Amino acid sequence: MEKRYQQQKKRFPKLRFILLIILLLFIATGAYAVHQYREGLKLAGNGEKKEMDFISDEETGDIINYLIIGVDSRGEEKSRSDTMMILSWNKKTNELKLVSFMRDIYAEIPGYDHWKLNTAYYLGGVQLLKETLNQMFDIPIHHYAVLDFKSFESLIDILAPDGVEIEVEKDMSAYIGVTLTKGVHRLNGKELLGYARFRHDAQGDFGRVERQQKVIEALKDELMQPKNLKNMPKLIGAAQGYILTDMTTGEELKTVLSVAKGGVPDIEKMTIPVEGTYWFNSYQHAGSVIEIDLETNRQKLHEFLGMEE
């Protein structure tokens, strides 16, 4: 018994030393995370955000819809929404679905008659765009996120300092501020934004929307990469000022972790209007527009999102 006691006694200093090392690692990791978070806040102006009017629709099932708005702002007080998407997450199945709405859709905007869909954000911000989509397509919207393109560049460079891998399908440079060549490349924030915005080819805005969806898929994969975990505190800090949203930091983290817990899901994609359900027209007050078969597009959208009629 005495011999065993002496052996255990010899082990205790080793055990204490190991526990001390683990504790120091936790402290160092926590200190690094806090430091990186604060550095992110500094980049984003200490997390100051302007308030935006938004009334969330009631959650009645497993599906949560996030309205994602990309704004081409050059310092103006009011801007049109260059990108409008709904990211739909099924909490039960962990499915992710992404719907892009063409900005030139001829839409009935509540209180303003008919204009291009991207005018709704200019006229009444997030809430009016939400009401327009509610009215046209009868879909609930529970949260929103607004990001301007300059902030997009910065966030990409924080998330993936080595760039985001994208297959560039053709040479492109017109009106995007960068020159991209065909092939698989790791693009930095400015290059990735240029890729997502390119539309000077035969596909026009429809091709641009496809590239935006491709970028969202690539970013989702990059976000889930273990190598980028060290960048997350700084990214979260910067997002406090770069991204306007109704969600708190805790809600954002909870959502990301909930999605990641179920594995990295693929993203199913859809564009409104769907093929064969639209035609082009022009009006003096609105310019060139896309008119759509609203009933067919509403039905197709509900089927895609798995909404009960």
Side-chain angles (χ1 to χ4, degrees):
M1 179 70 73
E2 179 66 22
K3 184 177 179 181
R4 179 195 248 172
Y5 172 74
Q6 293 298 328
Q7 288 174 336
Q8 290 177 339
K9 192 174 180 182
K10 289 179 182 178
R11 289 197 195 104
F12 286 153
K14 293 181 181 178
L15 179 60
R16 283 198 297 270
F17 178 73
I18 292 170
L19 290 174
L20 179 62
I21 293 297
I22 292 173
L23 178 61
L24 288 173
L25 283 173
F26 270 115
I27 293 172
T29 301
Y32 172 80
V34 170
H35 172 72
Q36 289 295 93
Y37 177 77
R38 287 175 176 168
E39 287 298 305
L41 283 178
K42 288 179 185 177
L43 289 175
N46 294 317
E48 295 177 1
K49 299 180 182 180
K50 66 177 182 180
E51 293 290 327
M52 301 198 81
D53 291 333
F54 179 75
I55 301 172
S56 174
D57 291 323
E58 183 183 358
E59 293 182 24
T60 57
D62 295 318
I63 295 175
I64 301 179
N65 294 325
Y66 303 83
L67 176 58
I68 302 173
I69 305 169
V71 180
D72 183 12
S73 174
R74 296 180 175 87
E76 308 96 333
E77 185 176 343
K78 297 171 69 175
S79 303
R80 284 175 170 78
S81 49
D82 195 77
T83 299
M84 294 164 288
M85 298 177 172
I86 294 288
L87 180 62
S88 184
W89 174 45
N90 188 312
K91 294 184 292 183
K92 185 176 181 179
T93 64
N94 204 42
E95 292 176 300
L96 287 175
K97 297 183 179 182
L98 185 66
V99 183
S100 294
F101 296 88
M102 297 295 292
R103 61 184 182 177
D104 289 344
I105 290 174
Y106 198 47
E108 183 177 351
I109 300 174
Y112 293 93
D113 204 356
H114 285 79
W115 291 88
K116 290 181 180 180
L117 181 60
N118 69 343
T119 307
Y121 181 80
Y122 175 84
L123 293 171
V126 174
Q127 181 61 26
L128 186 58
L129 177 56
K130 170 190 169 292
E131 290 173 3
T132 303
L133 293 173
N134 283 156
Q135 177 177 282
M136 290 184 70
F137 300 103
D138 192 24
I139 53 171
I141 295 173
H142 308 107
H143 298 286
Y144 77 87
V146 179
L147 180 66
D148 70 64
F149 292 146
K150 195 63 183 174
S151 297
F152 174 87
E153 292 181 23
S154 300
L155 289 172
I156 296 306
D157 291 337
I158 293 171
L159 169 65
D162 297 328
V164 176
E165 186 173 293
I166 284 284
E167 183 177 357
V168 180
E169 62 273 18
K170 64 182 76 176
D171 293 350
M172 51 184 71
S173 60
Y175 304 103
I176 58 174
V178 294
T179 298
L180 304 176
T181 57
K182 182 179 179 179
V184 177
H185 304 284
R186 294 199 72 86
L187 305 183
N188 62 29
K190 185 175 183 179
E191 292 167 336
L192 193 65
L193 176 62
Y195 174 78
R197 299 196 68 194
F198 180 76
R199 63 188 181 99
H200 290 272
D201 60 5
Q203 291 180 298
D205 267 345
F206 283 91
R208 185 180 67 99
V209 164
E210 286 184 17
R211 281 184 282 276
Q212 290 174 351
Q213 293 178 340
K214 189 175 170 182
V215 165
I216 294 292
E217 180 82 48
L219 290 179
K220 179 265 297 180
D221 292 338
E222 204 69 41
L223 190 64
M224 300 299 179
Q225 288 287 331
K227 68 176 182 178
N228 289 325
L229 287 177
K230 66 182 185 298
N231 304 322
M232 290 302 293
K234 190 174 183 180
L235 180 70
I236 292 167
Q240 300 312 297
Y242 285 149
I243 299 176
L244 300 175
T245 179
D246 64 306
M247 292 184 290
T248 65
T249 303
E251 287 172 332
E252 294 168 6
L253 278 172
K254 182 180 178 182
T255 300
V256 171
L257 291 173
S258 296
V259 173
K261 185 173 64 175
V264 184
D266 291 330
I267 300 180
E268 294 183 60
K269 307 174 191 71
M270 179 186 200
T271 298
I272 296 291
V274 298
E275 188 174 354
T277 67
Y278 65 90
W279 58 97
F280 296 98
N281 209 338
S282 181
Y283 295 93
Q284 186 174 0
H285 71 287
S288 179
V289 301
I290 300 173
E291 299 212 58
I292 69 172
D293 179 337
L294 184 56
E295 186 56 42
T296 299
N297 278 281
R298 184 188 294 126
Q299 179 183 339
K300 294 289 185 183
L301 179 58
H302 284 205
E303 290 173 1
F304 178 73
L305 295 179
M307 294 172 59
E308 303 243 345
E309 292 295 334

